[in-house]
Amino acid sequence: MHTGINSTLPAPNMHVFLPRRASFMCNNSTLNLVVSSSAAPSSTRQHLSNLEKLLQKTNQTDPEGVVKGCSNGSVETKGKVLLERLNLSRIWPEMSAADDMSPRNLNRLQRLLSKTMEYSPRNNLGSRWREYHGCYDWSGLLDPLDENLRREVVRYGEFVQAAYHCFHSNPAMSADEAPLPRHVSLPERSYKVTKSLYATSSVGLPQWVDDVAPNLGWMTQQSSWMGFVAVCDDKREIQRMGRRDIVIALRGTATCLEWTENFRAQLVEISESDDPTQKVGCGFLSLHKTPGAHVPSLAESVVDEVQRLTEMYEGENLSITITGHSLGAALSLLVADEISSCAPQVPPMAVFSFGGPRVGNKGFADRLNEKNIKVLRIVNNQDLITKVPGVFIDERLKQDPNKNPWAYTHVGTELKVDTKMSPYLKPNADVACCHDLEAYLHLVDGFLSMECPFRSNAKRSLAKLIDNQKSNVKQL
């Protein structure tokens, strides 16, 4: 074993060690170093002597190495006790044992070196990928929340964040020409974006308004960048996931006309359906189906790109994952329904929605279930958006959806989180915080089970949450 002080001490703190730096020469010692008596204090010499004896003893008892891999993907770190016994602060007393999160601190270094993989797994999903993709409706994986599923849910949420960031970096779109290509900064380097998606808001005005002012089209119709299609093209990641994954990520409401579409909540029939009882929200359907002046409709774009990708990778194991937040969560269900209708053979399809409203009635929910579309809804107990439209329903009309235009219902399996269970968010956080996507990812990353809602070893950084919701974060 070859040990060098320079490789152990972080570079930014080299000035701390320089006054006590020892001179090193080659030797047959286990440490392969000699400390000159003139260069090092007696405490350092004594400590390094003890370290050499300890390492010699460790090498005799375990000649095969310190770290061995386990079959379940975790790592057994036999050197953990060794690191704890080193007491690194004795070598550099200037570096106090303050237990902060800076990698410059040796205590942090010790913790990082002794940390196992169980806290943030990136395990091989292999033969279980269909289970994590919802083939059994995530039965047995939600309470307690399976650690692999937790990572997958957070990962898909970060795709939606990438869609938000791309739109807000350049929300403008010319009404006179086709849009230019956009660069999306993906959280996963193993994926590449293959297509941008656009949604068009189209709010009709009364006929007399059109007669008086026929040039108000810019106020009633607007196309905006909505999200993207991406495909995994990394061989190692494909092998880890057990298939090649196609992701469709959709952002939430961001423009005034999109808010107007959200309030057009009357249930209307699906044009492609032969069943008149299958209905969805008028505004959601309009955003999904309306083409713009220079862009196709969201429905057409998604179908064309999915067909192209499935033909390109024909013969491989494929999956389609649709993820969205808020309005994007609502459109995700319509996109899933559209894709399932475009071809007789469609790869397994799952929807991961965050803070999604109700989209249609019971007939629409039955339609998705018949098509075997799996939906995992991540819902915050305090998020009002997940309770609309149709929060005020006449109980006498509930049993007959055809007589009640507000008889909305949810679709799929629910993973419920709670703002009040976070040790960092205020229990009286406002509506915006309870619906915020970063708050959702924070809660999912910390969720363990209904009996123990927030795990102590949650790994997600609080930086973004503080940036977005500073007034709703407790003073730490």
Side-chain angles (χ1 to χ4, degrees):
M1 176 177 178
H2 299 279
T3 302
I5 299 298
N6 288 349
S7 64
T8 303
L9 186 67
N13 289 326
M14 281 303 297
H15 66 280
V16 178
F17 184 73
L18 286 176
R20 301 186 175 204
R21 185 171 183 178
S23 60
F24 301 100
M25 296 185 299
C26 295
N27 194 288
N28 292 329
S29 164
T30 306
L31 289 175
N32 196 23
L33 58 85
V34 173
V35 183
S36 68
S37 58
S38 61
S42 58
S43 61
T44 302
R45 295 198 304 271
Q46 180 64 38
H47 189 80
L48 291 175
S49 176
N50 294 338
L51 173 60
E52 179 179 356
K53 294 176 182 179
L54 181 60
L55 292 176
Q56 288 175 342
K57 182 177 179 181
T58 303
N59 290 339
Q60 292 173 359
T61 56
D62 185 13
E64 296 180 359
V66 175
V67 180
K68 296 182 179 180
C70 296
S71 59
N72 61 359
S74 64
V75 175
E76 180 183 358
T77 310
K78 292 188 176 180
K80 182 176 181 179
V81 177
L82 170 62
L83 287 168
E84 292 174 350
R85 293 176 63 181
L86 288 179
N87 194 8
L88 297 177
S89 60
R90 286 183 57 192
I91 303 178
W92 301 287
E94 292 86 352
M95 301 189 67
S96 64
D99 189 16
D100 59 28
M101 296 301 291
S102 171
R104 298 181 179 182
N105 189 279
L106 288 178
N107 284 312
R108 175 60 175 161
L109 173 63
Q110 182 177 348
R111 289 170 57 191
L112 288 174
L113 292 175
S114 61
K115 183 93 57 189
T116 65
M117 294 176 63
E118 63 182 0
Y119 296 138
S120 185
R122 195 178 183 87
N123 298 332
N124 192 317
L125 303 184
S127 59
R128 296 187 63 192
W129 75 265
R130 293 179 183 271
E131 184 180 352
Y132 288 113
H133 207 243
C135 69
Y136 302 122
D137 296 312
W138 296 278
S139 176
L141 299 176
L142 300 179
D143 192 13
L145 182 58
D146 182 89
E147 58 184 13
N148 292 315
L149 179 59
R150 178 192 293 114
R151 184 182 180 94
E152 293 299 296
V153 171
V154 171
R155 187 167 69 95
Y156 288 125
E158 289 174 342
F159 278 101
V160 183
Q161 280 190 327
Y164 272 116
H165 294 160
C166 182
F167 173 77
H168 289 305
S169 65
N170 182 19
M173 181 173 167
S174 173
D176 301 323
E177 56 185 16
L180 297 174
R182 284 177 176 254
H183 172 71
V184 184
S185 180
L186 293 181
E188 289 277 348
R189 295 183 180 180
S190 54
Y191 285 76
K192 66 176 181 180
V193 174
T194 63
K195 192 176 186 65
S196 288
L197 302 175
Y198 297 85
T200 300
S201 305
S202 182
V203 181
L205 295 176
Q207 183 62 44
W208 65 268
V209 176
D210 289 337
D211 295 338
V212 175
N215 297 322
L216 292 181
W218 63 273
M219 292 181 59
T220 61
Q221 188 170 36
Q222 181 185 38
S223 297
S224 300
W225 191 89
M226 196 71 197
F228 58 87
V229 181
V231 62
C232 183
D233 66 344
D234 182 83
K235 293 182 179 179
R236 294 181 62 182
E237 184 67 4
I238 293 172
Q239 184 178 9
R240 184 192 74 84
M241 294 190 298
R243 85 281 189 190
R244 187 187 294 272
D245 189 32
I246 300 171
V247 171
I248 301 167
L250 302 171
R251 63 166 176 82
T253 308
T255 69
C256 292
L257 285 182
E258 287 170 1
W259 277 110
T260 304
E261 294 282 29
N262 289 341
F263 287 105
R264 297 173 63 194
Q266 182 179 359
L267 286 167
V268 295
E269 296 182 16
I270 303 173
S271 57
E272 294 84 1
S273 174
D274 297 329
D275 187 347
T277 65
Q278 298 175 352
K279 298 180 179 181
V280 295
C282 174
F284 299 147
L285 188 63
S286 174
L287 280 166
H288 179 61
K289 288 288 192 181
T290 304
H294 303 284
V295 294
S297 67
L298 176 63
E300 183 181 348
S301 296
V302 168
V303 168
D304 289 346
E305 185 62 13
V306 169
Q307 287 179 336
R308 187 184 72 84
L309 292 174
T310 52
E311 291 174 3
M312 178 184 298
Y313 301 112
E314 186 177 3
E316 296 187 28
N317 279 338
L318 295 176
S319 68
I320 299 175
T321 305
I322 310 168
T323 181
H325 171 247
S326 190
L327 172 61
L331 294 177
S332 294
L333 296 181
L334 296 177
V335 165
D337 178 58
E338 192 77 30
I339 294 174
S340 64
S341 304
C342 71
Q345 296 294 330
V346 178
M349 185 159 36
V351 176
F352 291 83
S353 71
F354 298 85
R358 298 183 178 103
V359 179
N361 64 357
K362 186 177 183 303
F364 176 66
D366 293 340
R367 174 185 173 91
L368 296 186
N369 291 331
E370 291 171 2
K371 294 182 175 183
N372 201 32
I373 297 173
K374 303 300 182 180
V375 180
L376 180 61
R377 295 187 302 109
I378 297 90
V379 176
N380 185 354
N381 270 343
Q382 282 71 47
D383 187 0
L384 295 179
I385 301 300
T386 63
K387 300 175 175 60
V388 297
V391 65
F392 304 109
I393 298 177
D394 188 341
E395 294 293 333
R396 294 171 298 175
L397 298 177
K398 248 185 177 181
Q399 302 302 322
D400 191 353
N402 295 322
K403 293 182 180 179
N404 185 7
W406 297 91
Y408 278 84
T409 185
H410 274 302
V411 183
T413 304
E414 183 178 85
L415 171 60
K416 187 172 290 187
V417 294
D418 196 325
T419 301
K420 296 180 180 179
M421 298 306 173
S422 168
Y424 306 106
L425 291 174
K426 295 179 181 179
N428 61 341
D430 58 33
V431 176
C433 177
C434 294
H435 187 60
D436 182 70
L437 178 57
E438 181 58 36
Y440 263 92
L441 299 185
H442 163 71
L443 294 173
V444 172
D445 180 64
F447 181 81
L448 186 62
S449 69
M450 295 302 295
E451 296 180 357
C452 182
F454 210 92
R455 62 190 182 121
S456 59
N457 56 1
K459 296 281 290 183
R460 189 168 185 83
S461 170
L462 296 175
K464 291 182 180 179
L465 186 64
I466 294 174
D467 286 343
N468 296 343
Q469 301 296 334
K470 184 176 181 180
S471 62
N472 293 294
V473 177
K474 297 177 183 177
Q475 291 188 359
L476 305 179

